[in-house]
Amino acid sequence: MSSSLSFDPVLADIPAGHFIGGQLLAGGERIAVHAPSSGAVVGHIPAGSADTVDQAVRRAAHAQATSGWATCAPRERARVIRQWARLVEDNAERLARLESFCSTRPIAETTAWDVPFTAEGMRFFAEYADKLGGDVAATESNLLGMTIAEPYGVIGAIAPWNFPLVMGSWKVLPALVAGNGVVLKPSEMTPFSAVLLAQLGEQAGLPAGLFNVVQGAGGVVGAALSRHPLVGKLTFTGSTRTGIAVMQAAAESGPKPVTLELGGKSPQVVYQDISCIDTVAARIFRAFTGNAGQVCVTGSRLIVHEKVAAPLIERIATLAGQVRPGPTWDGAAAYAPIISTPQAQRIEGILSRACAAGAQQAVPMRRLLPESGGVFLSPAVLTNVTMQNVAVREEIFGPVLTVQTFREEEEAMTLAEHPEYGLAAGVHTADLGRAMRAVRRLKAGTVWVNRYGRSADFVIPTGGFGGSGIGKDLGRQAVEANLRHKSVLMSFEG
């Protein structure tokens, strides 16, 4: 570990508990937290229960109702959140290390991207505090019609393990900006950075109890949070199957809105007119190997014109042989581990089934750094696949790219359509007309043209169609989703 970013994975001062009512709470049954890079236990968290969730939700409801957070000048909420963003930057090294040592995120990436991206996203949401207040409606001259935007009260948020800090902040910040209290359940596999984020929020001026973090298993804590009658709205990122369970649980305590960012099986369509095949190959490679493919928007289905398929695959194969895996606490590491051994076995199992059904490994997968104790899987490229192949149909959540070729535009669009998912898509072409036709045809919540992946353009929302979810994270839409609107019609005659 020669890089200046490298650190000892035996961290001190880990915030290993619930954060409820401004206090760090531990005790009772514990859950072990493992480092994916080594498989070693790096800490423990308390196993929350339905009672823990109830305590946190009631504290959030009380703080939201009595602290003045929801009724103060919106610019005051913005001021607190801007100060919070500064504290995130001031504590960037600690946050980056907490994020890296128990997750799949290499320290070089959490330092350069995750923490700065989180802070800048906080500033973006702060700017919306006084921008979404309702509307005045056109009515008779002796009447006043208007809509008033109000917070729900308490927002229940369930964040995933693949980008714990970033995705957690996407849940929490728009809810708080809109005047709500929040109870966040981070993944039990990546639980620590959320607590420090909450602690920094109170240092910045959040009322105690407004933002609470409850640790524990999804089947217990997530289910209890979804069902709690004082939770006015839910926001969840994770698998489609779990998202359906969250929606069902939410309905048990009465109808309530949900935002669901779920699975994906995103196509990348490459036309024969691309101007630089090396540039496109590098872009496609990053799109399916970033975080070792453990990204909901992973561009895992390459749909390429037959004239450029062979040279493109050749260049991707070269890039696959150049990955630099290493423990997430090694500053030189540039390729992530798989989150757990069971997940690695699932990826390998899907690959095996795909090959048994006729797929060929143009770039075969192998295990890297077997001596590490973690699981690092090299990128794989599968050819000779059909739409019925399991590798094309199922979300693998690993570094696997399937390849299908086409001759005509219509054929490309047919192959790009997936029977379940519609989260994201990529289009690579030098022809603007062709790009716009594809943008119109693709059934996906986000379409990237001659690029792939998110940037710091927080104003552009993210969210999918069909089995990929409901609602949006980011953008003004994320803030609006945390507000409910009251209609008012007033006569001037008493």
Side-chain angles (χ1 to χ4, degrees):
M1 294 192 297
S2 57
S3 170
S4 61
L5 293 174
S6 300
F7 66 97
D8 187 340
V10 183
L11 293 181
D13 193 23
I14 300 172
H18 311 297
F19 188 72
I20 300 175
Q23 301 295 317
L24 189 64
L25 306 175
E29 184 181 348
R30 300 194 304 167
I31 297 172
V33 179
H34 296 80
S37 298
S38 65
V41 174
V42 293
H44 293 81
I45 55 170
S49 65
D51 288 341
T52 316
V53 171
D54 183 64
Q55 179 186 357
V57 171
R58 292 184 183 280
R59 288 303 299 263
H62 179 77
Q64 195 269 345
T66 63
S67 67
W69 178 258
T71 55
C72 71
R75 299 296 299 174
E76 177 60 19
R77 293 199 293 272
R79 183 195 65 77
V80 170
I81 291 171
R82 288 195 300 269
Q83 173 61 16
W84 192 2
R86 286 191 289 270
L87 289 175
V88 166
E89 291 174 331
D90 291 345
N91 289 269
E93 181 179 282
R94 187 181 175 206
L95 273 167
R97 291 182 173 186
L98 278 176
E99 189 77 342
S100 288
F101 90 122
C102 68
S103 81
T104 60
R105 305 291 298 137
I107 185 64
E109 295 186 15
T110 58
T111 300
W113 190 81
D114 298 56
V115 176
F117 190 80
T118 296
E120 192 61 20
M122 296 170 80
R123 293 190 177 95
F124 168 81
F125 283 120
E127 293 166 6
Y128 264 104
D130 62 351
K131 306 299 189 295
L132 301 172
D135 295 295
V136 174
T139 63
E140 297 178 36
S141 61
N142 64 336
L143 300 175
L144 176 62
M146 58 183 174
T147 58
I148 301 173
E150 298 179 343
Y152 280 97
V154 178
I155 304 298
I158 304 173
W161 53 259
N162 54 342
F163 294 90
L165 184 64
V166 169
M167 303 297 278
S169 70
W170 288 5
K171 304 296 183 190
V172 170
L173 267 298
L176 291 173
V177 163
N180 296 283
V182 180
V183 177
L184 170 66
K185 183 225 169 298
S187 169
E188 60 271 31
M189 293 188 283
T190 55
F192 302 125
S193 60
V195 178
L196 180 55
L197 183 68
Q199 291 173 322
L200 294 176
E202 291 205 2
Q203 289 181 34
L206 287 182
L210 191 71
F211 174 21
N212 303 277
V213 178
V214 178
Q215 309 285 9
V220 178
V221 173
L225 186 59
S226 301
R227 292 188 176 97
H228 201 288
L230 291 183
V231 170
K233 175 188 179 293
L234 283 159
T235 174
F236 167 84
T237 294
S239 72
T240 299
R241 183 176 63 180
T242 305
I244 292 170
V246 166
M247 200 171 187
Q248 290 173 332
E252 292 182 16
S253 57
K256 66 182 69 172
V258 296
T259 295
L260 303 174
E261 189 189 27
L262 307 178
K265 197 67 187 174
S266 302
Q268 297 198 72
V269 183
V270 180
Y271 292 96
Q272 71 272 29
D273 60 12
I274 52 175
S275 56
C276 179
I277 197 167
D278 290 320
T279 298
V280 173
R283 189 186 301 145
I284 290 167
F285 184 75
R286 289 192 300 271
F288 85 94
T289 61
N291 207 33
Q294 297 165 116
V295 185
C296 57
V297 296
T298 289
S300 59
R301 293 193 295 132
L302 175 59
I303 297 166
V304 56
H305 194 280
E306 62 182 14
K307 288 185 178 180
V308 293
L312 189 61
I313 293 170
E314 180 182 355
R315 285 161 173 80
I316 291 171
T318 299
L319 294 169
Q322 297 172 356
V323 295
R324 291 183 288 119
T328 53
W329 47 82
D330 183 347
Y335 187 71
I338 302 302
I339 186 66
S340 67
T341 296
Q343 173 62 9
Q345 292 170 340
R346 177 184 173 274
I347 294 168
E348 292 170 326
I350 292 175
L351 202 63
S352 177
R353 289 158 55 202
C355 291
Q360 297 176 353
Q361 293 197 58
V363 179
M365 176 174 283
R366 56 195 177 89
R367 289 202 177 197
L368 308 173
L369 303 182
E371 72 283 357
S372 66
V375 182
F376 294 82
L377 297 179
S378 71
V381 178
L382 300 182
T383 58
N384 196 39
V385 294
T386 66
M387 289 302 295
Q388 287 68 46
N389 192 286
V390 63
V392 175
R393 295 183 68 87
E394 288 193 19
E395 184 180 38
I396 300 175
F397 228 62
V400 179
L401 181 72
T402 62
V403 182
Q404 296 170 279
T405 61
F406 68 91
R407 292 181 180 180
E408 304 295 335
E409 270 188 48
E410 184 63 29
E411 184 184 4
M413 292 297 97
T414 299
L415 290 172
E417 188 168 338
H418 193 276
E420 180 178 4
Y421 296 118
L423 188 55
V427 178
H428 311 269
T429 177
D431 185 324
L432 179 60
R434 179 173 281 153
M436 289 308 300
R437 287 193 295 273
V439 166
R440 294 289 190 184
R441 283 287 305 275
L442 289 165
K443 297 178 181 178
T446 298
V447 180
W448 288 294
V449 178
N450 295 329
R451 59 164 294 132
Y452 199 93
R454 296 188 178 108
S455 60
D457 299 298
F458 299 98
V459 72
I460 300 174
T462 181
F465 298 165
S468 289
I470 300 171
K472 301 290 185 181
D473 284 333
L474 297 182
R476 64 178 175 80
Q477 291 89 343
V479 183
E480 289 176 332
N482 289 280
L483 292 164
R484 56 187 179 183
H485 290 81
K486 179 181 293 181
S487 298
V488 178
L489 186 62
M490 181 185 303
S491 174
F492 297 161
E493 300 176 1

